[in-house]
Amino acid sequence: MACTSFTKHPLPILQVTKLSRNPPSPTHTALPRSSHSQLYGLRLSSVTTSSLPSSSFPQRAPICAKVNKGDVPPSFNLKDQDGKSVSLSKFKGKPLVVYFYPADETPGCTKEACAFRDSYEKFKKAGAEVVGISGDDPTSHKAFAKKYRLPFTLLSDDGNRIRKDWGVPSDLFGTLPGRQTYVIDRKGVVQLVYNNQFQPEKHVQETLKLLQSL
């Protein structure tokens, strides 16, 4: 470990200034009540960031998944929308798209599911299977798949155990389950990890692009 040497100098004499009974007001101002919003609690456009210390804003943790490109993901055995057990090993020998999503019947998840549905023939042409995973139970999955005519498998991750095993990161400071997609090749090796919470349709575009290059 590198060390730095310092030249010895006599310590300077410090002058102590008597503190005023009325300390100056802080340089940053309190936010008005009208600046609150439903999403983050603050509407940042109503106040300049230069007037607030950097510590006032929570920093988003970097996306760091346990399962990365080149890894063999942990196995699973989960119930599908018909209550049947489905294991990861069932798909070995063909490309597989596994997409984790927050919940059935939410706007973003419905868009994503319908985007996979509308491009499902392209996935079949590439020889790939599509599997969606969320914490919803099989009954919810069955209703969701029926309502939107989803032709692929939805799996119920009770307690989000597989989500944790795979290391899918959460969004909005841990309040929203992450939206993350994996493309697994015929040998069971991950070739793509794609995370995008707020552009759900892009998961389809990115996975198809990768599958066409395999």
Side-chain angles (χ1 to χ4, degrees):
M1 180 176 180
C3 299
T4 305
S5 60
F6 298 91
T7 304
K8 293 184 178 179
H9 292 288
L11 293 174
I13 298 174
L14 299 177
Q15 289 184 343
V16 178
T17 304
K18 187 177 181 180
L19 296 176
S20 170
R21 291 184 179 180
N22 298 316
S25 60
T27 56
H28 60 276
T29 58
L31 295 177
R33 291 185 180 179
S34 60
S35 64
H36 291 277
S37 68
Q38 293 182 347
L39 184 57
Y40 295 102
L42 296 173
R43 187 182 297 117
L44 298 182
S45 60
S46 65
V47 62
T48 58
T49 55
S50 60
S51 65
L52 293 171
S54 58
S55 60
S56 297
F57 299 98
Q59 300 296 317
R60 180 179 180 181
I63 293 172
C64 184
K66 291 180 183 177
V67 176
N68 295 300
K69 181 179 178 180
D71 293 343
V72 175
S75 61
F76 59 69
N77 195 314
L78 301 173
K79 299 288 186 182
D80 67 7
Q81 61 262 53
D82 296 318
K84 298 178 181 177
S85 294
V86 177
S87 63
L88 179 60
S89 60
K90 170 187 176 181
F91 303 99
K92 196 167 183 179
K94 61 177 66 176
L96 175 65
V97 176
V98 177
Y99 79 93
F100 288 85
Y101 64 99
D104 296 339
E105 293 289 356
T106 56
C109 299
T110 300
K111 284 182 180 179
E112 184 177 24
C114 290
F116 273 111
R117 176 200 65 195
D118 295 343
S119 296
Y120 189 64
E121 289 302 317
K122 295 179 181 178
F123 286 101
K124 286 181 63 177
K125 188 175 180 180
E129 294 283 350
V130 176
V131 172
I133 300 179
S134 79
D136 300 290
D137 61 28
T139 301
S140 174
H141 281 336
K142 189 174 184 67
F144 186 52
K146 182 178 180 180
K147 182 176 179 179
Y148 295 101
R149 304 186 307 280
L150 305 180
F152 48 85
T153 300
L154 297 178
L155 297 178
S156 178
D157 183 17
D158 185 30
N160 292 316
R161 182 174 55 84
I162 304 304
R163 179 182 287 272
K164 294 171 186 173
D165 287 349
W166 287 43
V168 179
S170 299
D171 290 298
L172 296 183
F173 316 112
T175 62
L176 181 64
R179 189 186 306 281
Q180 187 149 292
T181 297
Y182 301 83
V183 176
I184 303 170
D185 66 17
R186 291 176 175 82
K187 296 179 181 179
V189 178
V190 173
Q191 296 299 329
L192 175 71
V193 180
Y194 182 73
N195 184 291
N196 192 328
Q197 180 68 259
F198 302 107
Q199 293 179 296
E201 297 98 332
K202 286 203 71 175
H203 287 254
V204 176
Q205 300 169 19
E206 294 300 320
T207 52
L208 281 173
K209 188 188 304 182
L210 189 281
L211 284 169
Q212 290 164 0
S213 69
L214 289 179

